[in-house]
Amino acid sequence: MEANYAALEQLLDEIAAGSSDACGDAVVAELAERHERVVRRMESIGNRRILDVSDRDAFRVSGSKNLTDYCSTRLRITRPRRRLRAVQHLESMHSMTGGLLPPRAPNTAAGLADGHLGAEHADAILDVLAKVPAAVDPAETAKAETALATEARRLTPREITQLGVRILAYLDPDGTLTDDRDRARHRKLSLGSQDAQLMSTLAGTLDPTTRALFEVVLAAWAAPGMNNPDDESSPRGDHADIDANQLREAADRDSRSVAQRNHDALTAILQCAADGGLLGASHRGLPPHIIISITEQQLRERAGVANTATGTDLPISDVLTLAAKAQMHLAVFDDHTGEPLFLGRAHRLASQAQRFILFAQYGGCGAADCPTPFAHSEIHHADKDWADGGTTDADKLAPACGPHNRAVGPKPDQWTTEKITTGPDRGRYGWRRNTDPPDQLHANHRHRIRDLLDQHRTHTGDDAPRDEDAGTTSTEVPPPTVTISEIEHRQALRLVERIPRRAVDVTFSRHTVIYA
């Protein structure tokens, strides 16, 4: 098999180096069509290779946490979950007894395998099949799949979706077959990634009960004049105990659209939940509030972007607004070694103060390229495991998501963590696969964007050059730390003024009092 792929790559090099200049128009058009068929066939074969990796758990040898992570990071597939859905429906899976089962969508699988259907066609067909009510006779569902796969050989993916609407209407003309199982299967709520303006798209499908509850809440909290962030006199919360004249005057001043009022109502609801203790006292050792890490320079200059423990980027204006209602935690780092001031603990679990330290230092999971934010990470005994005599000291800990924390060990397919002692990442723990050379330690910069940007800046003046021999791609050391809580504004200001620039990270936790 390896020789076949080597021969294929060589053939692709020859095709890429060739030219169709000497070919006639009909041949050129035919070559383009044949190329697309070959690409589609390769998609089908690629699904089989992914299934091979899944069957053997071979993603572990690359250090990936799971198959989805492997598809995303190693195969660099843009939509890994959709690709894995295609694998599950279009490939022959093993039964509990070890035998091979036919594909769930056999005709679609055949169309992809012979190159007449593309990945987009398969996605459109699987989207339609996912909406077929569970109560529909399996034989009717099979007929629908056959019809869709057959028509897809001449239709576009968009036309397949339109045809699917008609097929669904035929299978359940009165909507009587849709039941609680279908509604439960399709409920979802997704928070999209932040865009260039740090805005996010919220998309979802609500079941009837959730929709009814949401409408009740919006009727009260999103009424005209309510919870208006642009109006200091706007009533907050619901309007049960609010003076009618005050609400009427606020409504007259309210120029927001219905959608904007709904957004502001959701903000008020979430803030009420966080401030009212509905989230409990702790999540992974941290208070379940907005926790923000910024540098002292950003705070002084009122510019830049801060990041939260859950992985969100916040503009400095929002940080200062939140800071007006928060308790300050000051994280101070050694300006030369990049290590946190010592904060030890004779227990296995890290204290809240230590977790604040590690959030300020790492921002999220410390494993290279892992996107897991700090709020969803565990605390890893990075120097030596607790069971092997490791200590819970701030300078010997590092954040790690659950899969990466469990991936550390002595086996060839596991990872090792070691402290980086030179270069701009000194003081942090780097990660390397056990099969990599000992000097190949990698730090994670996905949670500290300013460090990532500094890698590509032009160093002038007193700026230190990048250390190319540090065994890591990082640049600026986030300071290590000690936490000082309940400190008065003036005392904090005097303390900050005595600390060199870039030697401080300030962490704000939601609703307890603050230094702005």
Side-chain angles (χ1 to χ4, degrees):
M1 184 65 75
E2 291 182 68
N4 291 339
Y5 274 96
L8 175 62
E9 290 175 346
Q10 182 178 354
L11 182 58
L12 288 175
D13 290 338
E14 295 176 6
I15 293 174
S19 172
S20 61
D21 292 345
C23 301
D25 293 349
V27 174
V28 168
E30 173 63 21
L31 288 177
E33 293 174 17
R34 292 179 65 181
H35 179 89
E36 289 304 314
R37 284 199 298 271
V38 170
V39 169
R40 292 167 176 174
R41 292 186 64 188
M42 290 299 296
E43 177 89 6
S44 176
I45 298 172
N47 288 344
R48 211 174 308 155
R49 297 287 82 82
I50 293 174
L51 183 59
D52 292 341
V53 172
S54 176
D55 288 344
R56 302 185 184 196
D57 283 348
F59 56 81
R60 294 183 293 109
V61 300
S62 67
S64 299
K65 299 182 292 185
N66 49 47
L67 188 60
T68 303
D69 181 52
Y70 174 79
C71 290
S72 177
T73 59
R74 300 293 292 181
L75 302 186
R76 303 179 68 184
I77 294 174
T78 305
R79 303 170 74 182
R81 294 189 183 278
R82 274 192 170 264
R83 184 66 177 274
L84 291 178
R85 183 185 68 166
V87 172
Q88 292 170 353
H89 286 78
L90 306 181
E91 295 300 318
S92 296
M93 312 291 285
H94 288 282
S95 67
M96 295 295 292
T97 58
L100 280 179
L101 300 172
R104 299 182 190 177
N107 297 284
T108 306
L112 188 65
D114 63 24
H116 286 89
L117 301 186
E120 294 83 2
H121 291 95
D123 279 343
I125 294 172
L126 295 180
D127 284 342
V128 173
L129 294 178
K131 296 176 182 177
V132 175
V136 170
D137 189 319
E140 294 297 315
T141 302
K143 290 180 183 178
E145 190 271 334
T146 302
L148 288 166
T150 301
E151 295 301 313
R153 291 174 178 265
R154 64 180 184 84
L155 299 179
T156 66
R158 181 185 295 275
E159 291 170 329
I160 286 298
T161 300
Q162 296 170 349
L163 176 61
V165 172
R166 297 179 63 186
I167 289 178
L168 290 171
Y170 171 80
L171 293 175
D172 186 15
D174 301 321
T176 56
L177 295 180
T178 298
D179 57 19
D180 291 341
R181 291 176 297 171
D182 301 306
R183 285 186 278 269
R185 184 157 48 101
H186 293 301
R187 73 190 189 282
K188 60 185 177 181
L189 187 66
S190 302
L191 181 62
S193 302
Q194 290 181 279
D195 60 20
Q197 295 181 318
L198 303 185
M199 303 294 281
S200 304
T201 299
L202 186 67
T205 301
L206 307 182
D207 63 31
T209 301
T210 304
R211 177 190 171 92
L213 289 170
F214 196 44
E215 288 179 324
V216 169
V217 172
L218 292 181
W221 290 59
M226 288 296 303
N227 298 299
N228 189 349
D230 301 322
D231 183 355
E232 294 183 356
S233 301
S234 171
R236 299 296 189 259
D238 61 39
H239 52 67
D241 300 324
I242 295 173
D243 180 78
N245 292 329
Q246 179 188 3
L247 180 58
R248 190 180 306 108
E249 293 173 359
D252 291 339
R253 298 190 300 268
D254 195 344
S255 61
R256 296 173 297 168
S257 66
V258 174
Q260 289 172 330
R261 295 205 310 269
N262 290 345
H263 173 280
D264 297 338
L266 180 60
T267 302
I269 293 167
L270 296 176
Q271 185 167 344
C272 182
D275 292 350
L278 297 180
L279 306 180
S282 174
H283 173 71
R284 291 189 182 274
L286 291 175
H289 304 147
I290 298 177
I291 302 174
I292 307 164
S293 177
I294 64 172
T295 64
E296 174 265 349
Q297 183 175 354
Q298 290 174 310
L299 192 62
R300 287 181 183 275
E301 296 177 357
R302 302 292 197 271
V305 176
N307 60 298
T308 72
T310 52
T312 297
D313 293 329
L314 288 177
I316 195 67
S317 57
D318 287 358
V319 171
L320 297 179
T321 299
L322 293 173
K325 302 177 181 179
Q327 177 181 5
M328 188 184 75
H329 297 269
L330 188 63
V332 184
F333 297 81
D334 187 293
D335 200 27
H336 298 288
T337 66
E339 296 198 52
L341 303 180
F342 177 79
L343 183 56
R345 182 169 169 81
H347 299 282
R348 176 176 174 272
L349 300 179
S351 67
Q352 185 180 99
Q354 290 172 324
R355 293 171 192 268
F356 275 126
I357 287 172
L358 296 173
F359 166 57
Q361 188 178 13
Y362 291 88
C365 176
D369 298 323
C370 182
T372 305
F374 190 87
H376 302 301
S377 297
E378 301 171 354
I379 304 303
H380 166 52
H381 289 76
D383 184 66
K384 184 188 294 184
D385 193 77
W386 175 263
D388 298 329
T391 58
T392 309
D393 297 342
D395 57 345
K396 294 180 173 60
L397 302 174
C401 66
H404 273 127
N405 197 4
R406 293 185 289 275
V408 176
K411 297 179 181 178
D413 61 346
Q414 292 183 307
W415 293 75
T416 293
T417 53
E418 294 178 7
K419 181 165 289 188
I420 299 171
T421 57
T422 60
D425 267 322
R426 64 188 182 277
R428 296 186 198 169
Y429 277 91
W431 291 64
R432 65 172 174 83
R433 299 184 187 89
N434 291 340
T435 54
D436 291 342
D439 60 343
Q440 286 194 7
L441 290 174
H442 302 278
N444 192 358
H445 304 120
R446 293 186 59 158
H447 306 287
R448 300 186 64 89
I449 298 300
R450 60 179 177 271
D451 291 355
L452 185 62
L453 295 177
D454 282 346
Q455 292 182 43
H456 304 285
R457 70 179 178 179
T458 301
H459 293 270
T460 58
D462 297 331
D463 284 349
R466 280 175 28 189
D467 187 347
E468 300 294 345
D469 299 322
T472 176
T473 56
S474 173
T475 53
E476 190 171 346
V477 185
T481 154
V482 68
T483 298
I484 307 170
S485 58
E486 298 179 5
I487 189 166
E488 295 293 332
H489 173 89
R490 294 181 181 177
Q491 293 174 319
L493 184 59
R494 287 198 297 270
L495 177 60
V496 168
E497 289 176 343
R498 293 199 299 270
I499 298 174
R501 285 185 176 232
R502 294 188 186 174
V504 175
D505 268 2
V506 180
T507 305
F508 299 122
S509 71
R510 183 71 184 91
H511 83 262
T512 20
V513 190
I514 204 45
Y515 158 62

